[in-house]
Amino acid sequence: MPIQILPAILANQIAAGEVVERPASVIKELVENSLDAGANRIDVELEKGGIQLIRIRDNGGGIPSAELGLALARHATSKVATLDDLEHIASLGFRGEALASISSVSRLTLTSRTAEQNEAWQAYAEGREMDVTIKPAAHPIGTTVEVLDLFFNTPARRRFLRSEKTEFGHIDELLRRLALSRFDVAINLKHNGKLLRQYRPAQSELLQEQRVAQACGNEFMQAALRVDSEHLGLRLYGWLAPQPLTNIGEVQYCYVNGRMMRDKLLNHAIRQAYTEYSGASFQPSYVLYLQLDPRQVDVNVHPSKHEVRFHEARQVHDFIVQVIGQALQTAYSAEATEHAFSGIEESAPDYPVTPLKPSVTSQHQYTAPTGGYTSPSGSQLRSYSALLHAELPAAISAPNIEYEASNTTDWLVLRVFRERYLLSAQGETLVLADLRAIQHQQWLTQFSGLLNEGLTSQPLLIPQRLQTIQSADWLNEYEYASWLQKLGLRLTSSKSQQLIIQAVPAILRQTDLVSTVPALLQLLDGYPPVVSQADWHSFISSWLTLPGLIPLHYSTASAQSLWQWMQNHIADWQMNTHLVQHVDITNILEVFSRD
């Protein structure tokens, strides 16, 4: 067969294979055209799951009568005209293939009127020949597209369509995604004459939350965190649930400059943030919006425009991970503070804690974590038994027992209670360890020996602005430069008299910086400018007691790591009542041996 130019109808039907997969594909292209035309109301009517009829009416700008026939031609569009236009696409559509492809596999009627016209005009095209007929019509300002008998002339493709219920399900999900992409637009859906969905305009944040609840379910909205962060031209905002949701379907909606996305980079960044900060693997739930300069993203890389290419992919990825991670960390810290001590008698720490009341503001809408590390006292250790009553059916005490030295590998980790307490056994000996106390001891041991080299500074991808009792003048006049350097803390000032955090030590990376950094600075104000070994050790000891620093929950892996560190680095850990409590199971064994 010789090389030849494809006939227009064949080229259109090949293109239709990419653009028109099922009725939902048709609706996506047509509704996006309506949005590009500036419509704030879109009505979608279906019959037989869209297989028999799709009718979409909008109140957008309309199409001039002279351009109606051209609108059905392949590669004809009003959205791009030059290569420069293609490099910063702001519209949802731009290829000029949708109407031509749809009309090649259906009976399509396009009726439209602009504000400048006194009457509407209608274009009709059907199937293979695609001869366009144009005539006057009655229609308000806007456009209506009617698609009849989809795939009537391609029976092989029609056989691939599913049941009416399945096809409607795809359409319903599509319109849900579109409704979440444009809160300012009313979208109504009728199926077989019945009004089934009515998404009303939502301009205020409250109304937007109501639309999210309507689309995603009340359980998601009640559990969701609001996030909103902006840095170097990138903005990420929306809602995400910090915990797995069980009573709703998949809620994973992501948008880039208003365009629906199922992008691999975005999905990876979101999942990485959840995995790193939750310590667990579960399906995250979110409705998130990423905005950036259109020149920084190429949307012309996927036939259905579900994936994009970012010019600064690593920056976008890390920005998403950090914003979501900070929100999750704050949520987990607040939740753990509320529940960590439930049912356990707490007492004052065994060492002094300096009360701090930092005044901070943040551009983020997170709730700052509360509650610092509390070292367990003797009475508190005795109350640990409450944790085990649900597991062991008899009274438990902590008798005075002499323990022989043993190989640390012989201790078997049984389980972690309340993400804070680790139960371990060696032979007939049980011990319960406080992971937060071990973490405190680990950091105290490690940091106390770092006076000479100091803590390693790690730059922030997103510098944090603070409004504290220390002003920018305080920073310029500050005599504690050696302290800041050794603590791995780098601060600058802004014109608005705010302190800006540029870099922090690793210990602070997973904390709410707008709370922990001002508290650190206020504590530092009580020390002399010259760092001595005694002052360094004293400062580290006090610093580690501040709220929000010691983690409030531990995964099984991190618990085992701390447990191993304690056995390897603390010689008398079995007798250290601040770290562990021995559990006597003698009474329980007697109960089982009575028979």
Side-chain angles (χ1 to χ4, degrees):
M1 182 180 296
I3 298 175
Q4 56 186 324
I5 301 296
L6 290 174
I9 181 59
L10 182 57
N12 281 333
Q13 290 198 327
I14 291 173
E18 294 183 349
V19 177
V20 187
E21 178 186 1
R22 61 193 338 141
S25 308
V26 174
I27 294 172
K28 175 183 182 294
E29 299 294 339
L30 298 181
V31 171
E32 287 183 346
N33 278 347
S34 297
L35 294 173
D36 285 340
N40 59 23
R41 173 171 176 155
I42 301 173
D43 295 301
V44 180
E45 297 180 47
L46 310 171
E47 290 183 13
K48 304 295 184 183
I51 300 171
Q52 181 174 316
L53 167 69
I54 297 172
R55 181 184 296 117
I56 297 179
R57 171 173 291 192
D58 68 55
N59 63 350
I63 303 173
S65 57
E67 300 176 8
L68 273 183
L70 193 59
L72 298 178
R74 191 171 180 225
H75 295 155
T77 181
S78 62
K79 299 170 185 179
V80 294
T82 67
L83 181 61
D84 184 63
D85 294 336
L86 193 63
E87 291 179 349
H88 58 90
I89 295 172
S91 59
L92 297 173
F94 55 88
R95 294 179 182 173
E97 293 182 338
L99 288 176
S101 298
I102 295 168
S103 64
S104 72
V105 291
S106 68
R107 298 181 174 93
L108 184 144
T109 303
L110 173 63
T111 308
S112 191
R113 176 191 165 193
T114 65
E116 293 76 22
Q117 294 177 189
N118 294 324
E119 61 181 349
W121 290 81
Q122 183 179 91
Y124 175 79
E126 177 177 327
R128 297 183 185 277
E129 300 305 323
M130 291 184 61
D131 293 331
V132 179
T133 303
I134 298 178
K135 61 182 181 180
H139 195 280
I141 296 173
T143 302
T144 295
V145 181
E146 186 175 272
V147 178
L148 293 172
D149 300 328
L150 186 62
F151 299 139
F152 79 96
N153 57 350
T154 53
R157 296 193 62 197
R158 185 156 189 160
R159 284 195 296 270
F160 278 94
L161 296 180
R162 302 307 183 203
S163 66
E164 174 182 331
K165 180 180 179 181
T166 299
E167 295 301 336
F168 175 78
H170 285 287
I171 296 169
D172 193 24
E173 173 63 18
L174 169 74
L175 291 179
R176 181 180 295 110
R177 288 179 171 272
L178 289 166
L180 291 171
S181 74
R182 290 290 300 271
F183 290 104
D184 59 319
V185 178
I187 300 179
N188 303 309
L189 171 62
K190 284 185 178 181
H191 186 219
N192 294 336
K194 296 181 180 180
L195 180 62
L196 299 180
R197 299 286 184 267
Q198 197 169 19
Y199 297 102
R200 303 180 185 277
Q203 301 290 358
S204 68
E205 184 172 324
L206 176 61
L207 292 177
Q208 290 174 7
E209 291 180 353
Q210 291 176 357
R211 179 178 276 203
V212 173
Q214 179 185 0
C216 303
N218 289 325
E219 182 186 355
F220 171 78
M221 199 66 249
Q222 291 170 1
L225 301 171
R226 169 75 178 183
V227 297
D228 194 343
S229 185
E230 188 170 1
H231 177 63
L232 294 179
L234 297 172
R235 183 190 177 198
L236 183 70
Y237 66 96
W239 298 267
L240 56 88
Q243 304 292 349
L245 304 178
T246 57
N247 297 324
I248 61 175
E250 182 181 273
V251 177
Q252 295 183 343
Y253 301 116
C254 195
Y255 303 85
V256 177
N257 290 346
R259 187 186 301 277
M260 298 182 294
M261 282 294 131
R262 293 190 182 95
D263 186 77
K264 295 177 182 177
L265 181 140
L266 300 179
N267 291 341
H268 183 273
I270 295 169
R271 289 182 179 276
Q272 179 176 324
Y274 269 88
T275 300
E276 289 184 359
Y277 289 84
S278 71
S281 178
F282 62 88
Q283 285 285 354
S285 299
Y286 53 83
V287 179
L288 293 171
Y289 305 85
L290 178 66
Q291 290 183 343
L292 70 164
D293 185 345
R295 293 182 180 273
Q296 296 300 313
V297 57
D298 184 1
V299 301
N300 190 25
V301 297
H302 192 278
S304 59
K305 301 187 282 286
H306 281 154
E307 294 182 7
V308 294
R309 181 183 295 117
F310 298 99
H311 294 308
E312 300 292 341
R314 171 52 60 183
Q315 183 183 31
V316 171
H317 181 279
D318 291 349
F319 171 74
I320 294 172
V321 171
Q322 184 162 342
V323 171
I324 295 177
Q326 288 177 349
L328 293 175
Q329 180 67 24
T330 302
Y332 296 147
S333 298
E335 180 180 358
T337 299
E338 180 179 353
H339 299 292
F341 307 121
S342 175
I344 303 176
E345 176 189 354
E346 296 289 354
S347 62
D350 292 340
Y351 46 83
V353 178
T354 304
L356 299 171
K357 296 181 179 179
S359 173
V360 299
T361 59
S362 170
Q363 60 181 328
H364 304 298
Q365 301 182 41
Y366 311 142
T367 302
T370 58
Y373 167 68
T374 301
S375 175
S377 64
S379 61
Q380 179 184 340
L381 288 170
R382 288 189 294 273
S383 70
Y384 280 155
S385 60
L387 287 172
L388 299 178
H389 277 293
E391 303 292 324
L392 304 177
I396 299 170
S397 61
N400 293 323
I401 303 175
E402 293 185 5
Y403 298 93
E404 298 179 358
S406 60
N407 190 327
T408 58
T409 59
D410 293 339
W411 286 93
L412 176 65
V413 174
L414 300 180
R415 65 168 296 177
V416 176
F417 289 92
R418 300 189 184 180
E419 300 180 305
R420 172 174 173 176
Y421 304 98
L422 181 145
L423 183 66
S424 181
Q426 184 190 60
E428 295 184 356
T429 302
L430 285 177
V431 294
L432 187 67
D434 182 356
L435 296 170
R436 298 192 70 214
I438 300 174
Q439 181 80 85
H440 179 274
Q441 187 62 45
Q442 182 191 57
W443 283 350
L444 181 62
T445 300
Q446 294 174 347
F447 297 163
S448 293
L450 293 177
L451 172 61
N452 293 331
E453 58 267 38
L455 305 184
T456 302
S457 178
Q458 296 186 356
L460 296 177
L461 175 66
I462 311 171
Q464 296 284 311
R465 294 177 178 269
L466 304 176
Q467 185 65 48
T468 73
I469 58 175
Q470 292 89 358
S471 65
D473 293 336
W474 171 88
L475 179 64
N476 295 331
E477 300 171 359
Y478 191 53
E479 301 176 354
Y480 296 85
S482 60
W483 276 99
L484 295 180
Q485 182 179 3
K486 290 186 180 299
L487 290 169
L489 194 62
R490 188 167 75 246
L491 303 174
T492 58
S493 59
S494 67
K495 295 181 180 179
S496 59
Q497 296 296 301
Q498 286 183 315
L499 294 181
I500 302 175
I501 310 172
Q502 300 287 353
V504 296
I507 187 176
L508 292 180
R509 284 297 293 259
Q510 310 303 325
T511 68
D512 179 28
L513 297 178
V514 298
S515 175
T516 56
V517 171
L520 181 153
L521 297 178
Q522 189 171 350
L523 175 64
L524 194 57
D525 251 349
Y527 285 81
V530 180
V531 187
S532 67
Q533 182 67 54
D535 288 334
W536 176 258
H537 183 83
S538 172
F539 178 83
I540 294 297
S541 298
S542 299
W543 182 35
L544 292 178
T545 68
L546 295 182
L549 204 60
I550 299 292
L552 295 173
H553 61 94
Y554 295 86
S555 65
T556 301
S558 60
Q560 290 176 331
S561 177
L562 283 172
W563 175 244
Q564 192 64 43
W565 178 89
M566 181 188 69
Q567 296 175 78
N568 292 335
H569 293 85
I570 302 179
D572 61 344
W573 64 267
Q574 292 190 54
M575 305 307 297
N576 189 326
T577 57
H578 291 299
L579 303 179
V580 299
Q581 180 191 18
H582 292 276
V583 180
D584 183 15
I585 62 172
T586 303
N587 294 337
I588 297 174
L589 295 177
E590 289 178 356
V591 171
F592 286 114
S593 63
R594 285 175 184 174
D595 295 335

